[in-house]
Each structure stands twice: as structure tokens, then as C-alpha cells.
Amino acid sequence: MRSVRENKRPSVAVIGLGYIGLPTATVLASSGADVVGVDTNNETVALINRGQVPFVEPDLATALAGTVSQGFLRATTETPHAEHYIVAVPTPFKLGHIPDLTYIEAAAKQIAPLLRGNEVIVLESTSPPGTTEFLADTVLDSRPDLTLEPNTAGSIYFAHCPERVLPGRIMIELRTNDRTVGTLNGDAGERARDLYQLFCEGEFLMTDARTAELSKLTENAYRDVNIAFANELSMIADGLDINVWELIELANHHPRVNILQPGPGVGGHCIAVDPWFIVATSPEASPLIRTAREVNDSKPGFVLDKLIPQAKRISGVKIAALGLAFKPNIDDLRESPARQIVNRLADELPEATILAVEPNIDELPSELESRSNVSLTATGEAIEEADIVFLLVDHNEFVNLDQSILAQKIVHDTRGVWN
Ligand code: SAJ
């Protein structure tokens, strides 16, 4: 059997061309693999085949255009046969914060009929413990001729290699971050590592699939709990008329204290979601993780409760809401507290004019677009017109603006950037 390194261009099918799948497909294609990206969205597929990226991520556009034009990456809606499959589909949760594995199940059913034996299937999607096993069971249920028993004609190898890149730095972190690789059977982990070593210079940390699954969830729950601590402090400080950012700066001078930053809530598809997978798996044993989620989820309401009574006292009030993304300098509005806040603001202040500013998008998401009291506005114009400037996201454009334009305004700075 030839290893990936001896093989000139190993073939890889990446299932799911989202924020993780597409950068991974691109970096693999530019590092020596023949990659086919698979997505159910025809528009995404067409765009990628034209060498274009459907979302903003620094350095991705150039790398993608290069690999597509060289013929090392193409996109399709039809899953092809490949030596390696990387499953990078969404793992959302259902009502009651129960993990929804529908997309993983669908990927397994797509791949199963194509398998010939000896393929490696890597689950990248962040998943509750036991999901790699679920993926394998789903494949084997429809292909009883295949087996997890290694080194036979029908052996299929399963591993979990959770992504841990930070949106906004994906193209750097894909290459430099250490990777945890969990083996379900045989030498699946080693074979996954060989593939990922084409592009990843980080250390490879080898374990079993279940530990790898929980380790990824643990990383995001750790961050969520720490942000919850900062958010709880901000609510305590507010009641005591203390500046929370000064408070945190002081405390962080202690050599063993490193408090994160409070904000209007926690967003994105990772930190606001993954801790629930731990809670769903071990509800009795996870009160701290659950409470952290609840504290962070309560923060948008807290921020609105501070602003709305003040806004109601100004007739014909105009509010510049700065930022809709879930974090700075990206266009990703998924699970964004800022977006949620602007929606609720529009509901609760029907007479107000809400000037939504988001420099990274060209049009408002549909639920905001349809509102008569919300319009997408440029930064300078929004601030000039507004009575209240409500900073929700610390985009560079807002952090670096000339603060003299805020002089006559009521300012609500949820990120502490104009402190
Ligand atoms: N946030 C704060 N205060 C802070 C830090 C973050 O309020 O001090 C907020 C952000 O504004 C944002 C949310 O938390 O709304 C999450 O942002 P983030 O930058 O902490 O993380 P993500 O969701 O972009 O990416 C995380 C990363 N995980 C960790 O840092 C442990 C990333 O490495 C993971 O790959 C990613 O989740 C993922 O895909 O799981």
C-alpha cells in the first residue's frame, strides 16, 4: 500500500464547502492533493468553479482562485469516489439544544455506495462524543460488505480530526495549529495525519475518536465559560457604577489572572453551540458549562435593557447600530448577538430610525431588510445622523474612527473600544 507522501496527488473529497470545508479543500489542493469539493448548494458550487469565494476570509480568495485555475480543486453537487473523504458539514442543534446529526447522516449515505475498500473517512465537523462511531455505523449499515476490521479487502478507516481554526485567521491557523486526531479503527488516525501533514506544520496529537470529539468541545466550552465570567463581571460592575474594562485591566496585572473581554453576547457557530453538546451528553455533570451558556445568552437582553428606556425618551430617535457580524473584521452573521440585538431593537422601537452599519456586507439579512425602520448605512453618515451610537462589534473601522465625531452623541459601547 502506498502512503500519501509517496503518492503524487492523493485524491480527497471534501463534503461540505462552508467556512471550514472550503478553506481545507483549498489548502489541500494547493499542497499536493487532487480535491473535489461537494456541496448541496448549486450557487456555491458554481461560484467556486469560477474561482470565487462565497464569504469573506482573509487570503482564501487568492488561494482558491489559484488552485481552481490549476485544476487541483473543483466543486460539484455529486459525491465522487476518492481515497480520502473529509466530512465538514454543519452540526447544529435542535429544539432543547439537542445535537442534530442529520447532515452527518446524509454525508454517510452519500459516501457509502461509492466505497471500494481501504478508504479513509475523516470527520472534521465538531460533534458530540460518539459521532465518529455513528458515522461509521451509518456507512456500514448500508454497506454490510464493508468492515471496521483493519487490513481486509473491505476495510474502511474512520478518524476524527476536529477543526480548531479561528474565523478571520483560517488560512494561517490551518497551517500552524496543532491537530488532535482520534482513531476509530485500525491506523485511521495515522493515515489522516499523513494527509493533513501535506499542509499542517503543527504538532499532531494522537488519541481515540471519542476523546478527540470531547477535546474539541472542551476547548470551546473553556472559552465560553471564561467569556461568561467577563460578561457576568460586566453586569456586576454596571450595578456598582464601575468601569468593567478598567476593572479587568487591573485584575489582569496579576501574574495568574487573564480575564477575557465582555461584549454584547457570544455568537458564531462554535462557542455558542458546542458547549450544549457537552450538556446534552452529560446533563447532570455539567452545571457550570450550562450556566455559562445561559449567562452569555442573557447578555443581549441586558444590553437592550440599558439602551431602550433611554432611547424611548428621545422623540424620533435615530440609533446608529455599529456592527452586525458575530465578531470583528469578518462578514459572518451566524448566531450573531449584534444581529439579534438590532432585530429586537427594531421590534421594540417601531418609531425609531435604526441605521445599521456593517462594512463587511452589501445587503442586510432578509429579516432586517424587510423592516421599515432599519436601513444599511455607511459609518460616517450613520454616526452623523444618530442621537445614540450603539457599538456592537469592534471592527477596525469603528475602533480607529476619529472619536471627535462622537462628542455630541449618547454612546453605548458594548465592547469597550472607545473607553
Ligand atoms: N468574545 C467575547 N469576548 C472575548 C472573546 C470572544 O465576547 O474575550 C465573543 C466574540 O465576540 C464572538 C464569540 O465570543 O461573538 C466567539 O468568538 P471567538 O473569537 O472566541 O471564537 P470563534 O467562534 O470565532 O472560534 C472558536 C475558536 N475556539 C477557541 O478559541 C477555543 C476557534 O479556535 C475554533 O476553531 C472555532 O471556535 C470553532 O470552529 O469551533
Side-chain angles (χ1 to χ4, degrees):
M1 199 184 309
R2 288 197 302 171
S3 82
V4 161
R5 293 203 163 269
E6 293 155 23
N7 194 334
K8 268 217 155 86
R9 292 197 78 88
S11 65
V12 186
V14 178
I15 316 294
L17 295 175
Y19 289 82
I20 299 303
L22 185 57
T24 304
T26 304
V27 79
L28 266 168
S30 62
S31 308
D34 265 335
V35 184
V36 178
V38 185
D39 204 281
T40 49
N41 185 325
N42 284 309
E43 273 175 45
T44 300
V45 164
L47 209 61
I48 293 168
N49 284 330
R50 289 201 299 273
Q52 291 166 5
V53 180
F55 50 84
V56 172
E57 179 60 42
D59 302 329
L60 176 58
T62 325
L64 178 93
T67 54
V68 169
S69 71
Q70 287 167 311
F72 297 143
L73 172 63
R74 69 180 173 90
T76 169
T77 52
E78 301 293 321
T79 308
H81 177 262
E83 295 157 320
H84 307 85
Y85 290 90
I86 294 179
V87 177
V89 295
T91 42
F93 53 64
K94 301 187 268 203
L95 208 63
H97 301 117
I98 305 301
D100 176 0
L101 303 183
T102 319
Y103 296 103
I104 292 189
E105 192 176 354
K109 289 183 174 161
Q110 261 165 261
I111 297 168
L114 302 159
L115 297 172
R116 300 169 188 163
N118 199 31
E119 291 88 350
V120 181
I121 303 180
V122 183
L123 176 64
E124 272 236 16
S125 313
T126 303
S127 307
T131 309
T132 311
E133 212 169 328
F134 168 77
L135 174 69
D137 288 348
T138 312
V139 168
L140 296 185
D141 276 352
S142 63
R143 288 292 303 272
D145 55 315
L146 301 173
T147 175
L148 292 182
E149 191 64 41
N151 305 319
T152 75
S155 305
I156 307 296
Y157 298 86
F158 290 88
H160 182 49
C161 189
E163 59 79 14
R164 34 182 16 189
V165 287
L166 197 70
R169 283 179 47 84
I170 292 180
M171 297 307 280
I172 299 166
E173 293 203 1
L174 270 176
R175 292 191 185 274
T176 57
N177 282 1
D178 297 341
R179 300 285 312 222
T180 304
V181 185
T183 297
L184 186 73
N185 65 317
D187 62 352
E190 285 72 20
R191 292 180 60 185
R193 179 191 58 198
D194 287 352
L195 180 69
Y196 281 74
Q197 269 177 342
L198 287 177
F199 64 85
C200 177
E201 296 144 18
E203 193 180 335
F204 283 79
L205 311 159
M206 309 305 286
T207 183
D208 60 274
R210 198 171 269 259
T211 307
E213 288 157 349
L214 188 58
S215 79
K216 164 64 200 241
L217 302 178
T218 300
E219 291 161 13
N220 281 351
Y222 169 86
R223 194 153 167 87
D224 197 44
V225 168
N226 281 281
I227 299 170
F229 183 74
N231 276 334
E232 186 162 296
L233 277 180
S234 73
M235 296 187 268
I236 294 169
D238 185 79
L240 298 173
D241 208 13
I242 285 171
N243 179 324
V244 71
W245 287 282
E246 184 191 355
L247 174 75
I248 290 174
E249 199 186 324
L250 294 173
N252 280 349
H253 274 269
H254 185 289
R256 285 174 296 283
V257 174
N258 187 12
I259 303 167
L260 293 178
Q261 296 299 303
V266 169
H269 193 66
C270 310
I271 295 190
V273 176
D274 301 354
W276 288 119
F277 291 174
I278 301 182
V279 175
T281 310
S282 307
E284 299 298 325
S286 52
L288 177 68
I289 294 171
R290 174 196 291 274
T291 305
R293 270 288 66 246
E294 287 165 355
V295 168
N296 285 333
D297 278 351
S298 75
K299 197 64 199 293
F302 178 86
V303 163
L304 281 164
D305 288 347
K306 304 293 301 178
L307 181 97
I308 286 172
Q310 197 175 26
K312 280 188 172 159
R313 286 197 290 272
I314 304 171
S315 87
V317 67
K318 291 186 177 172
I319 303 171
L322 304 192
L324 291 172
F326 86 85
K327 62 185 238 174
N329 307 320
I330 57 170
D331 69 339
D332 190 343
L333 308 190
R334 292 179 302 169
E335 317 278 336
S336 165
R339 176 178 176 176
Q340 184 190 335
I341 285 168
V342 173
N343 263 301
R344 283 189 42 201
L345 207 55
D347 274 342
E348 300 204 23
L349 299 172
E351 307 301 330
T353 301
I354 299 164
L355 307 159
V357 182
E358 180 42 79
N360 299 301
I361 61 170
D362 298 325
E363 54 187 64
L364 287 172
S366 54
E367 86 279 2
L368 285 174
E369 182 67 52
S370 58
R371 292 175 183 275
S372 57
N373 56 347
V374 181
S375 58
L376 187 63
T377 313
T379 312
E381 186 189 335
I383 295 177
E384 198 174 308
E385 277 192 36
D387 306 294
I388 300 178
V389 178
F390 191 21
L391 183 107
L392 295 165
V393 186
D394 38 345
H395 288 314
N396 287 344
E397 176 156 346
F398 307 148
V399 175
N400 298 328
L401 61 75
D402 175 2
Q403 288 184 38
S404 62
I405 62 170
L406 301 170
Q408 306 302 318
K409 312 290 174 184
I410 299 168
V411 175
H412 281 247
D413 174 1
T414 68
R415 298 277 180 177
V417 299
W418 300 322
N419 214 7

